[in-house]
Amino acid sequence: MIASPIIECRKVNKFYGSYHALIDVDESIERGEVVVVCGPSGSGKSTLIRTINRLESIDSGQILLDGQDIHRPGIELDRFRSGIGFVFQQFNLFPHLSVIDNCTLAPMHLRGLTPAQAKDAAMVLLERVGLADKANAYPAQLSGGQQQRVAIARALAMQPPLMLFDEPTSALDPEMVGEVLLVIRDLAHKGMTLVVVTHEMGFAREVADRILFMDHGVVLERAKPDDFFNRPQHPRAQQFLSDIRSPFA
Amino acid sequence: MIDIIDTYWLYFLVGQYPDGPLGGLVLTILLGFAALMLALPLGIALGLARVSERRWLQWPVTALVYIVRGTPLLMVIFWAYFFLPSVTGHKTGQFATMLTALVIFNGMYIAEIVRAGIQGIPKGQMECARSLGLSYSKAMRYVVLPQAARNMLPSFVNQFVTTLKETSLGYIIGLAEVSFVANQINTLLLTRPVAVFSTLALAYFILCFGLSRVAYFLEVRRNRQAT
């Protein structure tokens, strides 16, 4: 038996008014796969991953998570979402809660853990992202990189089989990008299924199993990193790769 | 002024009580606080309806809020005074009438404070809470409202002070609250309006200023906790 993909997009279309943001996107993501989505601004890559946990609605097509259509009306949306970790560009930590409380809120209410169990589990995750010593700090006391690592720990606390990252390092100062990417790479090495929208091409080259290149709502190229960076097929991808090379290099 | 206070302080404070119904300053405070305590849950419920994505809930409440906010309190009191008996079927007391009017009127203002407070929290907070799998109501309760409440506190206190002052309109329907009592005293004395109404003004000022100071103290303490 062939393992079914964890996510399957079938002819997904999304409009913002008259703007066609996603055009007939067909894509499968396999269990354990690390997929990096890249492309110019406004290409639909953030929209695509936001539709995967229904932060955005779609206008036609299907998105199957473990074979279940998550855009079907009447579905237990909250249960599905709790199985998809989502990391935002702007971290979105809850500012009125301490780091540890940020990480225990959802597990306590949704996984039925006692406060002590949730706290123990969260401490393990904070240890993993290197912030166990900040457990009692508040988000405002942390740097951007630290906040994003807490956001990753918070998402992991729901033990999702799948994690989505929407430009996780785009709002960070340059010296903090590395610490966040290292945490994501660590997850990739542990065999988690990851979909990462990012402009960090070095990260994509090293960590991704597969790269999706999007422009104007269409997936133009799907390739292994080596092929994508060294032998891009689509002219738009070739253009993109030459544009992002520093003019000073 | 001292002699007036000396003679009439008890009447000023409690009206004809215990020989008649409770009145005076105590009634004013009682009415104000009862109105707050009832208007607050009403306002929170209406405020939540105002930001709801369910149109059947949002539209009628929005209409109601706009209508009442576009109406002077005096008119709401008249409505309560003349319509409440015909709706309930029996005569409503002055206190209950005034309380109803104040709760409805202030509930609408509190609803707008709650709406603004919720909408002032970045959209990402709700989005993120939902992405973790929390339901709308849990996300609202544990993530959005606690943050919004901090921002709403000063406006709440403002509204509380306003409510306390609005109780004076009970005068219109013959409720023996402190303004009514002061006017009675003035009628008895005939020649001392300045002294009588200065005392009344002072009483309101002490109440409202005191409340503002409590709010200020709470705000300072809150800001200290936040950092």
Side-chain angles (χ1 to χ4, degrees):
Chain A
M1 190 183 124
I2 301 161
S4 61
I6 189 163
I7 301 171
E8 202 178 343
C9 300
R10 293 180 181 165
K11 292 244 174 267
V12 172
N13 281 278
K14 163 83 186 167
F15 290 86
Y16 290 111
S18 62
Y19 181 71
H20 205 165
L22 294 175
I23 304 171
D24 284 337
V25 175
D26 270 308
E27 196 56 58
S28 288
I29 289 161
E30 305 297 330
R31 239 163 273 275
E33 201 178 18
V34 177
V35 175
V36 165
V37 186
C38 62
S41 302
S43 60
K45 49 199 194 309
S46 284
T47 305
L48 178 65
I49 71 161
R50 286 169 61 87
T51 60
I52 293 176
N53 75 347
R54 220 169 119 177
L55 283 177
E56 300 286 348
S57 61
I58 59 176
D59 294 292
S60 69
Q62 285 183 314
I63 297 177
L64 306 181
L65 180 77
D66 278 325
Q68 297 253 27
D69 181 359
I70 67 158
H71 283 268
R72 191 167 52 82
I75 198 163
E76 281 182 87
L77 182 59
D78 295 331
R79 194 168 59 77
F80 277 90
R81 277 180 172 156
S82 68
I84 307 173
F86 200 102
V87 176
F88 296 83
Q89 183 178 351
Q90 298 296 342
F91 333 133
N92 288 339
L93 291 184
F94 307 137
H96 62 302
L97 298 178
S98 65
V99 165
I100 189 83
D101 290 343
N102 262 275
C103 297
T104 57
L105 179 70
M108 269 168 25
H109 287 289
L110 300 172
R111 287 177 56 208
L113 301 186
T114 65
Q117 288 170 326
K119 195 179 169 197
D120 287 347
M123 283 310 293
V124 172
L125 294 169
L126 287 174
E127 194 81 54
R128 200 157 138 195
V129 299
L131 289 170
D133 56 323
K134 299 285 185 190
N136 294 313
Y138 279 82
Q141 298 166 317
L142 304 181
S143 72
Q146 290 171 330
Q147 289 193 47
Q148 191 61 298
R149 281 145 69 198
V150 172
I152 294 171
R154 176 178 63 179
L156 289 172
M158 287 305 292
Q159 302 187 322
L162 164 68
M163 290 276 283
L164 308 174
F165 293 83
D166 187 6
E167 303 202 23
T169 58
S170 298
L172 295 176
D173 289 341
E175 75 265 32
M176 292 166 186
V177 169
E179 63 189 71
V180 171
L181 293 180
L182 285 175
V183 168
I184 302 174
R185 186 181 69 179
D186 178 52
L187 298 177
H189 288 170
K190 289 200 164 70
M192 241 182 144
T193 313
L194 308 179
V195 182
V196 187
V197 172
T198 185
H199 296 292
E200 295 295 328
M201 290 303 133
F203 171 84
R205 190 191 288 264
E206 194 204 317
V207 180
D209 295 318
R210 201 154 57 95
I211 290 183
L212 302 183
F213 175 76
M214 291 185 74
D215 194 24
H216 293 297
V218 182
V219 179
L220 292 177
E221 189 148 344
R222 314 167 158 76
K224 296 221 171 296
D226 179 48
D227 291 332
F228 179 72
F229 288 107
N230 298 322
R231 292 170 292 282
Q233 301 297 309
H234 197 281
R236 187 67 189 84
Q238 292 163 359
Q239 176 69 39
F240 176 75
L241 285 170
S242 84
D243 285 348
I244 60 171
R245 272 184 200 118
S246 169
F248 302 105
Chain B
M1 203 159 135
I2 301 295
D3 57 313
I4 298 178
I5 295 174
D6 211 33
T7 316
Y8 291 103
W9 66 273
L10 191 63
Y11 185 46
F12 189 78
L13 223 52
V14 295
Q16 297 174 337
Y17 192 81
D19 302 320
L22 182 70
L25 196 59
V26 171
L27 187 76
T28 292
I29 294 169
L30 219 58
L31 180 61
F33 274 87
L36 297 181
M37 288 305 131
L38 295 174
L40 198 58
L42 176 71
I44 291 171
L46 292 177
L48 286 169
R50 284 277 276 133
V51 298
S52 170
E53 285 158 17
R54 293 174 194 161
R55 287 181 179 179
W56 57 266
L57 193 61
Q58 195 208 325
W59 286 9
V61 170
T62 303
L64 186 69
V65 167
Y66 274 98
I67 289 168
V68 175
R69 274 167 49 102
T71 310
L73 174 58
L74 187 58
M75 216 197 83
V76 177
I77 296 170
F78 284 151
W79 272 72
Y81 189 68
F82 293 112
F83 279 74
L84 221 50
S86 60
V87 173
T88 56
H90 47 83
K91 195 176 177 303
T92 318
Q94 289 144 328
F95 186 84
T97 303
M98 193 58 200
L99 185 61
T100 307
L102 284 175
V103 168
I104 292 173
F105 195 73
N106 284 290
M108 302 305 152
Y109 280 86
I110 292 174
E112 284 301 86
I113 294 171
V114 171
R115 180 190 61 79
I118 290 172
Q119 288 178 340
I121 303 300
K123 221 178 98 223
Q125 291 286 311
M126 175 55 97
E127 219 170 48
C128 180
R130 295 305 304 275
S131 83
L132 287 165
L134 292 168
S135 63
Y136 178 85
S137 57
K138 278 190 173 145
M140 195 50 102
R141 184 164 151 205
Y142 297 111
V143 175
V144 177
L145 279 181
Q147 297 180 58
R150 292 184 155 205
N151 301 340
M152 291 186 289
L153 190 67
S155 307
F156 273 151
V157 174
N158 243 335
Q159 197 59 39
F160 291 176
V161 169
T162 306
T163 307
L164 213 53
K165 290 187 286 189
E166 283 168 353
T167 57
S168 62
L169 280 173
Y171 175 87
I172 299 292
I173 58 170
L175 181 68
E177 44 70 53
V178 71
S179 302
F180 186 92
V181 167
N183 198 47
Q184 296 273 302
I185 295 171
N186 183 48
T187 312
L188 289 172
L189 293 171
L190 280 173
T191 54
R192 311 280 300 278
V194 172
V196 170
F197 289 113
S198 298
T199 310
L200 179 64
L202 192 67
Y204 276 120
F205 176 78
I206 290 169
L207 267 182
C208 297
F209 184 71
L211 210 56
S212 305
R213 293 310 295 178
V214 169
Y216 175 76
F217 172 74
L218 285 176
E219 219 174 309
V220 168
R221 206 181 59 170
R222 179 198 75 181
N223 287 340
R224 215 179 293 140
Q225 278 170 344
T227 50

